[in-house]
């Protein structure tokens, strides 16, 4: 099995070293490097091509949100990003998810949660923090863009709309498969098609898109 290539970006060197040790202790992962700010992170990504990037949101030189913007310019070659934050209910977390982060972790997360999130994000599965993202939406009362409802659903087939809305409610592929009487492999195909048609990076952006347009209730 090819190990998951992970990079860690955090200006707290001790924290970054601890994450590196945690990753390297896993049989299916390897840490390909650490960086102390967003500028260093971009250089590290160019050099090492990590699969998953653990990215602190508040850093000097180039912060996490700005770094996500730069990574977005790389298209499909960019790593899947897990945002790191000290505060769970933080505007920066939602900004990071909107900018393309696949999940977020608080810095006090248990090691098992960290490694499980890395694996889930790498495989495109729902990350543990997907439910917490919904909680953030509820708490912040995200405004509904009612004028943009139709253009989202009009781009999708009937079955894709159904899958889109179930993903937006936080259901896993297995749960969706059971709900709509399809195989899990077929559901995965529909999810990929939804992401491609809507220009979304990951499942969490489906959640955000649906809630911000009032397509499902938070």
């Amino acid at each position: 099995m090819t190990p998951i290539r992970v990079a860690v970006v955090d200006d707290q060197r001790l924290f970054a070293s601890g994450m590196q040790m945690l990753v390297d202790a896993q049989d299916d992962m390897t840490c390909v490097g650490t960086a102390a700010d967003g500028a260093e992170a971009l250089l590290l990504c160019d050099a090492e091509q990590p699969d998953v990037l653990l990215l602190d949101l508040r850093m000097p030189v180039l912060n996490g949100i700005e770094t996500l913007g730069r990574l977005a310019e790389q298209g499909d070659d960019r790593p899947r990003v897990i945002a790191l934050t000290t505060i769970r209910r933080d505007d920066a977390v939602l900004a990071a998810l909107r900018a393309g982060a696949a999940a977020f972790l608080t810095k006090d997360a248990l090691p098992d949660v960290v490694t499980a999130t890395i694996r889930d994000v790498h495989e495109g599965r729902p990350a543990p923090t997907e439910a917490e993202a919904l909680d953030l939406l509820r708490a912040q009362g995200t405004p509904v863009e009612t004028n943009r409802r139709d253009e989202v659903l009009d781009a999708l087939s009937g079955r894709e709309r159904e899958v889109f809305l179930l993903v937006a409610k936080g259901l896993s592929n297995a749960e969706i498969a059971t709900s709509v009487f399809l195989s899990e492999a077929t559901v995965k195909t529909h999810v990929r098609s939804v992401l491609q048609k809507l220009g979304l990076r990951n499942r969490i952006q489906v959640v955000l898109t649906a809630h911000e347009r009032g397509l499902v209730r938070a």
Side-chain angles (χ1 to χ4, degrees):
M1 180 187 297
T2 302
I4 303 169
R5 296 171 58 82
V6 181
V8 181
V9 185
D10 197 290
D11 60 333
Q12 298 177 14
R13 294 290 189 180
L14 185 60
F15 178 83
S17 296
M19 294 297 285
Q20 181 177 23
M21 291 173 62
L22 173 63
V23 168
D24 282 337
Q26 311 305 308
D27 292 337
D28 59 342
M29 300 179 193
T30 183
C31 183
V32 297
T34 64
D37 58 56
E40 290 184 11
L42 295 174
L43 294 174
L44 177 60
C45 289
D46 285 341
E48 298 295 340
Q49 298 293 306
D51 301 311
V52 176
L53 184 68
L54 302 180
L55 180 67
D56 188 22
L57 295 182
R58 289 183 165 83
M59 300 178 294
V61 184
L62 197 68
N63 67 35
I65 306 302
E66 293 168 331
T67 304
L68 276 162
R70 298 284 186 88
L71 288 171
E73 298 171 2
Q74 299 177 7
D76 293 337
D77 292 334
R78 64 190 186 273
R80 295 181 176 181
V81 175
I82 299 172
L84 299 173
T85 180
T86 54
I87 306 171
R88 178 173 281 104
R89 294 188 178 277
D90 186 353
D91 288 344
V93 172
L94 279 178
L97 296 174
R98 291 189 181 100
F104 73 94
L105 286 169
T106 53
K107 292 188 179 182
D108 60 354
L110 296 174
D112 287 351
V113 174
V114 174
T115 54
T117 300
I118 292 172
R119 293 184 182 103
D120 287 340
V121 165
H122 180 252
E123 294 299 324
R125 297 188 296 258
T129 49
E130 196 165 289
E132 294 186 59
L134 289 174
D135 289 341
L136 283 171
L137 286 170
R138 295 186 185 101
Q140 299 204 359
T142 308
V144 176
E145 300 178 28
T146 53
N147 62 318
R148 298 184 64 185
R149 285 182 179 180
D150 292 341
E151 71 181 45
V152 173
L153 295 181
D154 286 349
L156 306 177
S157 70
R159 181 63 82 181
E160 287 167 350
R161 293 182 189 184
E162 192 173 15
V163 170
F164 170 89
L165 293 172
L166 292 173
V167 170
K169 291 178 180 178
L171 273 66
S172 68
N173 288 344
E175 290 169 333
I176 294 172
T178 300
S179 176
V180 298
F181 306 104
L182 294 173
S183 70
E184 191 169 347
T186 299
V187 170
K188 288 181 180 178
T189 299
H190 284 310
V191 171
R192 283 195 298 269
S193 181
V194 166
L195 295 177
Q196 182 178 22
K197 286 184 176 181
L198 299 183
L200 302 177
R201 175 67 174 161
N202 49 53
R203 296 174 61 95
I204 200 69
Q205 288 195 330
V206 171
V207 174
L208 290 166
T209 298
H211 283 270
E212 290 176 349
R213 285 155 177 76
L215 297 171
V216 295
R217 290 187 178 183

